[in-house]
Amino acid sequence: MPKRHSPKFRFQVVMEVMSEGKSIVEVGRSYKIHPNTIQNWIKRFKNNGSEIFSQDGEANELEKKIAQLERLLGQKEREIALLKNFLGSVD
């Protein structure tokens, strides 16, 4: 099973390669990470680097979840009101 590394750790490794001028192989050996893995991290960093300065991805996901839950709450409130009306007319 592949080892999971935190985003902070991945960033540290990528920055070590990019800013300190170390080779990918050298950094890979020091952290016991395959060079292809580091190369993939660098590629993802370069492709998605602009997102770092946009809204945080996790916060965006949480906002979507909140909106979804608010819609569900509104739907349930309408259903409760309908059931109350229906049950109130039975008496």
Side-chain angles (χ1 to χ4, degrees):
M1 184 159 101
K3 186 174 179 181
R4 303 290 307 180
H5 299 284
S6 72
K8 186 176 181 177
F9 176 78
R10 292 177 189 193
F11 178 75
Q12 175 186 340
V13 171
V14 168
M15 291 309 296
E16 195 168 322
V17 171
M18 294 179 70
S19 65
E20 296 181 20
K22 295 182 179 178
S23 73
I24 292 173
V25 173
E26 182 182 6
V27 173
R29 282 187 189 139
S30 67
Y31 289 105
K32 297 180 181 168
I33 300 171
H34 195 277
N36 288 346
T37 301
I38 297 173
Q39 187 65 44
N40 289 337
W41 293 350
I42 292 170
K43 183 178 178 181
R44 286 178 56 197
F45 177 77
K46 288 180 179 178
N47 290 338
N48 301 319
S50 62
E51 293 177 11
I52 292 170
F53 299 106
S54 65
Q55 187 174 15
D56 182 57
E58 184 178 353
N60 193 20
E61 288 298 317
L62 291 174
E63 286 176 4
K64 287 180 184 177
K65 183 70 172 175
I66 289 170
Q68 177 187 13
L69 292 172
E70 286 174 342
R71 284 191 299 273
L72 183 61
L73 178 62
Q75 178 184 354
K76 295 302 176 189
E77 287 176 345
R78 287 189 300 276
E79 290 173 0
I80 290 170
L82 280 170
L83 288 172
K84 282 182 177 179
N85 286 337
F86 176 74
L87 291 175
S89 65
V90 172
D91 289 336

